[in-house]
């Protein structure tokens, strides 16, 4: 038996696609497997525990409180048992983010006891601290301690079947030269092993593209998937219909950097969804990352279709200061942004605004302008489902990191700790601004995505 | 579904133990016997010993014992004119892992009945693994992975 599991911890009530997707890949090549989303199962287990946050703190920092020892032990053993009870010969652990690394270490230790003969392989973006990070400390530690046997780097569509065939020298298996798959040939994720009732937001994930058509300097996705790839509208819509048939769920979430990278296919997909929604009383809804373009590209007709298709747009606004956006590689105007806000109101679709707080070139005046921008747009609150603000980080392997010297930036020990020496705004000041902006957004009545973890990783800010 | 899957399979299972020793030479090496409770896991008695790794399955809870012997205190330590030790018959416990998890240096010192990883006397040094689940033992003793 092959068991594929998503490892906690991800602070999300959403479906983690990887195990179901890898299961489908294995099945396509004739291998039967069992897929588990351990993250949702663990979150369900501790949901009503009074010490929930302290338990989760263990998975973030490895801090052990006296009142959490037994709970943590139970969680580790629960996860290992869930896998071991299938008597696996191969255990594939998927790490969505680096926050899964602590749990992976402990679960693997237990798995070595329960399944001493199983081969353990890890993969996913979380095997490194950042997607383009060259630091392999976590992987090396696991191998040195004999907690794992193998690592799959990059996308697993081609390498995982080869791994199951025992071809351990294949590109991507214990080496970095992984091969890219043609996206239109990928299989439909198989959620038949999941208990979908556990999810608070049961949106079926769909891969629609990989990479991005933009070249934003702060982004590490484009470093990982350097070439933009998309699936055609017909293929995506066929997958939607297949999943509706299987699970009777009509809400979907596109797992990509943007849904509107290829406008021709995006328009076609919207048309297919709108036609479905017109013909059926139970309608499709969807959400996905979206880039803003000028009104001549995103016409009122397109906006209307987004509304009729029940779309929810995750918009990477990044900054409301035009010159800051332009420098980072997002040269749309504030008029374009307002047009999308206005359209959401007019055509009844929702927006999730994603902002970066304190970008390297932002001045103290820009901070005030940003606050004012939110004050001036409260008329759109009902259509803005969520505002998510993150602290500006300089991620390894990005263009921003490469340009840091030119920008006169000195970097600290963590991606969010740095100082632009031209502006002399310290990390502490930026952190204060971040908190002020969050508070203001909340006070104004916007629904804020309150990411407590954001500040957890800003530790030693002295001197930056 | 979640509750149904809870099991107690961590009970009564052997746990992997890994110890790494370095032997100090002076008129040969010390004899080292490692016991899981009363069960002898391994006896080292060979003058060519350098660095040795013991890998064994032990049943928790247990007391791990290191019995070191064969040292003549009058002859098996050499000291130069300045009083520096130049050769010593001893055993150094370099690493100890329980269930593939390394026991941190600070904890290792505090756990050993000798309070030292340098075994330079004929002695029995003990470590109490007093839980039936190695995960629980590590957690209760605040032993963590190095996450750099």
């Amino acid at each position: 038996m092959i068991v594929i599991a998503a490892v906690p911890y991800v602070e999300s009530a959403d479906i983690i696609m990887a195990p179901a997707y890898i299961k489908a890949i294995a099945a396509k090549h004739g291998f039967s497997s069992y897929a588990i989303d351990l993250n949702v199962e663990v979150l369900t287990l501790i949901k009503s525990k009074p010490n929930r946050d302290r338990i989760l703190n263990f998975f973030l920092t490895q801090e052990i409180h006296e009142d959490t020892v037994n709970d943590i032990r139970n969680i580790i053993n629960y996860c290992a048992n869930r896998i071991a009870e299938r008597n696996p010969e191969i255990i594939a652990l998927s790490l969505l983010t680096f926050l899964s690394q602590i749990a992976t270490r402990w679960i693997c230790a237990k798995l070595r006891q329960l399944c001493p003969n199983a081969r353990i392989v890890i993969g996913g973006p979380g095997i490194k601290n950042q997607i383009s990070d060259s630091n392999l400390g976590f992987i090396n530690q696991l191998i040195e301690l004999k907690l794992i046997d193998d690592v799959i780097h990059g996308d697993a569509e081609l390498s995982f079947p080869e791994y199951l065939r025992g071809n351990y020298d294949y590109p991507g298996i214990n080496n970095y030269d992984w091969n890219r798959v043609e996206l239109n040939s990928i299989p439909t994720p198989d959620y038949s092993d999941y208990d979908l009732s556990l999810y608070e937001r049961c949106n079926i994930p769909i891969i629609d593209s990989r990479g991005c058509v933009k070249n934003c300097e702060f982004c590490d996705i484009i470093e990982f998937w350097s070439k933009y790839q998309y699936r055609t509208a017909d293929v995506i819509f066929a997958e939607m219909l297949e999943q509706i048939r299987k699970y009777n769920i009509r809400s979907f979430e596109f797992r990509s950097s943007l849904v509107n990278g290829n406008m021709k296919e995006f328009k076609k997909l919207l048309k297919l969804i709108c036609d479905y929604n017109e013909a059926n009383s139970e309608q499709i809804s969807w959400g996905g990352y979206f880039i803003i373009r000028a009104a001549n590209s995103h016409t009122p007709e397109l906006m209307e279709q987004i509304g009729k298709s029940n779309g929810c747009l995750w918009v990477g606004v990044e900054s409301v200061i035009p010159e800051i956006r332009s420098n980072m590689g997002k040269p749309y105007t504030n008029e374009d942004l307002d047009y999308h806000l206005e359209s959401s109101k007019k055509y009844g679709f929702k927006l999730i605004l994603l902002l970066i707080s304190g970008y390297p070139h932002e001045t103290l005046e820009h901070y005030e302008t940003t606050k004012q921008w939110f004050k001036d747009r409260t008329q759109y609150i009902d259509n803005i489902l969520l505002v998510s603000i993150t602290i500006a980080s300089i991620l390894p392997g990005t263009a921003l990191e490469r340009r840091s010297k030119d920008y006169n930036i000195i970097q600290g020990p963590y991606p969010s700790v740095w100082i632009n020496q031209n502006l002399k705004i310290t990390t502490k000041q930026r952190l204060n601004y971040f908190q002020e902006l969050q508070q203001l957004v909340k006070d104004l009545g916007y629904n804020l995505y309150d990411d407590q973890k954001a500040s957890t990783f800003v530790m030693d800010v002295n001197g930056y | 579904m979640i509750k149904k899957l809870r099991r107690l399979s961590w009970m009564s299972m052997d746990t992997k133990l890994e110890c790494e020793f370095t032997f100090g030479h002076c008129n040969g090496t010390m004899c080292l016997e490692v016991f899981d409770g009363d069960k002898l896991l391994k006896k080292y008695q060979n003058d060519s010993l350098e660095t040795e790794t013991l890998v064994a399955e032990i049943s928790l809870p247990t007391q791990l014992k290191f019995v070191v012997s064969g040292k003549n205190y009058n002859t098996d330590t050499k000291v130069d004119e300045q009083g520096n030790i130049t050769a010593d018959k001893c055993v150094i416990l370099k690493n100890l892992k329980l269930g593939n998890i390394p026991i941190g240096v600070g904890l290792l010192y505090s756990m050993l009945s000798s309070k030292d990883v340098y075994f330079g006397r004929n002695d029995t040094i003990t470590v109490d693994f007093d839980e039936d689940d190695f995960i629980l033992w590590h957690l209760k003793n605040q032993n963590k992975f190095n996450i750099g």
Side-chain angles (χ1 to χ4, degrees):
Chain A
M1 170 57 83
I2 301 153
V3 175
I4 306 153
V7 184
Y9 158 75
V10 180
E11 180 63 87
S12 165
D14 295 318
I15 295 174
I16 295 183
M17 178 175 60
Y21 181 49
I22 302 290
K23 177 185 169 80
I25 291 166
K28 192 178 167 185
H29 293 266
F31 296 99
S32 168
S33 63
Y34 186 74
I36 317 169
D37 178 358
L38 289 173
N39 190 60
V40 75
E41 296 191 8
V42 167
L43 289 177
T44 307
L45 275 173
I46 63 169
K47 198 174 175 179
S48 48
K49 285 201 171 278
N51 57 351
R52 178 188 184 273
D53 288 349
R54 287 197 299 286
I55 295 169
L56 291 179
N57 202 29
F58 172 79
F59 295 108
L60 298 172
T61 65
Q62 221 181 184
E63 195 173 335
I64 305 164
H65 302 271
E66 211 170 286
D67 71 325
T68 59
V69 167
N70 283 319
D71 291 310
I72 295 165
R73 187 269 293 258
N74 288 341
I75 289 168
I76 294 162
N77 288 335
Y78 173 85
C79 291
N81 277 319
R82 272 290 270 137
I83 294 168
E85 67 180 0
R86 298 270 156 186
N87 296 320
E89 288 151 8
I90 292 174
I91 299 167
L93 300 178
S94 172
L95 285 71
L96 188 58
T97 75
F98 75 99
L99 295 178
S100 300
Q101 291 182 359
I102 288 174
T104 300
R105 289 174 172 101
W106 288 88
I107 293 167
C108 284
K110 193 67 195 178
L111 283 171
R112 284 301 196 207
Q113 183 189 40
L114 298 179
C115 318
N117 300 319
R119 201 163 175 125
I120 303 178
V121 57
I122 61 167
I127 62 173
K128 295 193 277 184
N129 291 351
Q130 306 290 342
I131 204 164
S132 296
D133 204 344
S134 56
N135 179 358
L136 301 175
F138 169 68
I139 297 168
N140 292 339
Q141 183 190 45
L142 262 58
I143 289 172
E144 192 190 317
L145 294 176
K146 301 182 183 75
L147 292 173
I148 60 167
D149 298 287
D150 303 290
V151 183
I152 290 187
H153 293 271
D155 297 337
E157 287 94 350
L158 301 174
S159 55
F160 192 65
E162 293 302 323
Y163 183 81
L164 298 179
R165 290 185 189 108
N167 185 1
Y168 302 127
D169 297 325
Y170 191 81
I173 302 171
N174 301 318
N175 63 66
Y176 316 111
D177 299 323
W178 52 280
N179 292 333
R180 280 144 182 87
V181 72
E182 205 293 297
L183 273 191
N184 282 307
S185 68
I186 63 174
T188 302
D190 178 352
Y191 298 99
S192 56
D193 298 328
Y194 284 31
D195 180 353
L196 294 176
S197 71
L198 297 179
Y199 296 93
E200 279 172 37
R201 288 190 298 271
C202 199
N203 304 321
I204 298 287
I206 290 194
I207 297 169
D208 61 298
S209 64
R210 278 188 183 147
C212 189
V213 294
K214 291 283 178 189
N215 225 346
C216 301
E217 65 174 1
F218 60 84
C219 180
D220 56 355
I221 298 288
I222 49 172
E223 306 292 331
F224 188 73
W225 286 304
S226 51
K227 192 180 160 215
Y228 175 70
Q229 280 183 288
Y230 63 90
R231 296 172 81 193
T232 64
D234 289 335
V235 168
I236 296 169
F237 191 67
E239 181 169 320
M240 288 173 134
L241 294 180
E242 186 183 343
Q243 299 294 48
I244 291 171
R245 207 166 45 244
K246 277 186 191 164
Y247 308 111
N248 197 28
I249 294 171
R250 288 170 179 75
S251 54
F252 295 92
E253 197 175 287
F254 294 111
R255 297 278 167 91
S256 63
S257 295
L258 76 175
V259 287
N260 57 336
N262 182 321
M263 285 302 290
K264 187 181 151 206
E265 296 301 326
F266 180 58
K267 284 178 190 170
K268 200 170 165 188
L269 180 62
L270 286 181
K271 171 85 169 60
L272 289 166
I273 298 173
C274 287
D275 290 348
Y276 179 95
N277 284 351
E278 260 184 48
N280 294 277
S281 55
E282 289 185 271
Q283 297 201 337
I284 289 174
S285 61
W286 61 274
Y289 289 92
F290 185 87
I291 53 168
I292 291 178
R293 290 191 176 94
N296 59 355
S297 290
H298 292 174
T299 60
E301 293 72 36
L302 182 91
M303 294 286 144
E304 189 178 6
Q305 282 197 316
I306 290 171
K308 284 183 175 170
S309 64
N310 302 316
C312 174
L313 309 181
W314 294 61
V315 181
V317 175
E318 320 307 359
S319 171
V320 297
I321 315 294
E323 61 265 36
I324 299 293
R325 279 199 312 265
S326 182
N327 277 335
M328 69 170 68
K330 284 208 162 167
Y332 67 83
T333 66
N334 273 13
E335 290 69 37
D336 297 333
L337 178 54
D338 284 336
Y339 165 68
H340 284 75
L341 289 170
E342 193 54 41
S343 297
S344 72
K345 203 171 177 181
K346 189 170 177 186
Y347 300 112
F349 59 84
K350 301 286 184 194
L351 299 170
I352 292 173
L353 305 184
L354 311 167
L355 280 100
I356 300 171
S357 146
Y359 200 75
H361 310 302
E362 279 190 29
T363 63
L364 296 176
E365 291 72 35
H366 288 144
Y367 292 1
E368 295 311 310
T369 308
T370 303
K371 289 177 187 169
Q372 192 58 48
W373 187 90
F374 277 102
K375 288 177 192 166
D376 294 342
R377 282 165 181 80
T378 52
Q379 69 270 33
Y380 301 118
I381 278 178
D382 289 345
N383 289 86
I384 298 172
L385 199 60
L386 209 58
V387 176
S388 172
I389 306 171
T390 54
I391 301 175
S393 292
I394 301 174
L395 301 178
T398 58
L400 180 57
E401 187 196 48
R402 291 191 290 275
R403 291 172 194 162
S404 288
K405 222 174 179 178
D406 299 337
Y407 293 160
N408 207 8
I409 291 170
I410 297 179
Q411 288 182 254
Y414 307 104
S416 54
V417 180
W418 49 265
I419 185 165
N420 181 340
Q421 291 194 299
N422 296 339
L423 297 173
K424 301 211 182 305
I425 301 171
T426 64
T427 299
K428 204 168 181 187
Q429 278 176 289
R430 286 189 291 110
L431 193 55
N432 287 343
Y433 163 61
F434 167 69
Q435 284 158 351
E436 276 171 29
L437 184 61
Q438 281 199 315
Q439 193 57 51
L440 172 80
V441 165
K442 233 189 288 187
D443 292 345
L444 288 169
Y446 294 92
N447 193 9
L448 179 77
Y449 176 67
D450 202 356
D451 187 1
Q452 297 294 335
K453 261 72 68 189
S455 53
T456 306
F457 296 97
V458 181
M459 298 172 213
D460 183 10
V461 299
N462 292 329
Y464 297 97
Chain B
M1 178 184 177
I2 296 289
K3 278 182 184 167
K4 197 178 80 181
L5 291 163
R6 285 194 177 200
R7 285 186 358 197
L8 295 173
S9 66
W10 57 86
M11 310 287 277
S12 311
M13 288 199 78
D14 283 349
T15 302
K16 187 178 168 189
L17 174 84
E18 197 176 319
C19 318
E20 191 191 343
F21 308 100
T22 300
F23 288 80
H25 291 244
C26 187
N27 300 320
T29 58
M30 286 182 109
C31 172
L32 168 67
E33 293 166 291
V34 185
F35 290 89
D36 167 13
D38 295 327
K39 183 185 160 196
L40 178 67
L41 296 174
K42 180 89 179 174
K43 182 175 182 177
Y44 295 95
Q45 192 168 30
N46 182 338
D47 284 349
S48 63
L49 292 167
E50 294 291 344
T51 296
E52 299 291 326
T53 302
L54 166 66
V55 180
E57 295 288 326
I58 61 171
S59 177
L60 300 182
T62 192
Q63 188 177 56
L64 190 67
K65 287 183 210 153
F66 303 103
V67 181
V68 279
S69 59
K71 183 167 183 175
N72 181 328
Y73 298 128
N74 296 319
T75 59
D76 294 345
T77 302
K78 287 194 175 143
V79 183
D80 66 13
E81 287 171 359
Q82 283 75 43
N84 302 313
I85 295 173
T86 56
D88 191 27
K89 191 183 269 189
C90 67
V91 178
I92 302 167
L93 177 60
K94 302 280 281 184
N95 284 302
L96 185 57
K97 290 177 197 157
L98 184 66
N100 289 66
I101 302 175
I103 297 172
V105 178
L107 177 60
L108 189 56
Y109 274 77
S110 69
M111 279 168 20
L112 295 165
S113 58
S114 60
K115 303 295 174 203
D116 199 344
V117 294
Y118 191 97
F119 306 155
R121 302 186 64 81
N122 298 323
D123 198 1
T124 297
I125 299 104
T126 58
V127 183
D128 288 326
F129 291 129
D130 52 2
E131 297 293 339
D132 56 15
D133 177 15
F134 75 97
I135 295 286
L136 186 58
W137 186 89
H138 286 294
L139 292 171
K140 276 198 168 171
N141 286 287
Q142 294 277 332
N143 190 50
K144 304 166 187 179
F145 283 96
N146 179 6
I147 56 172

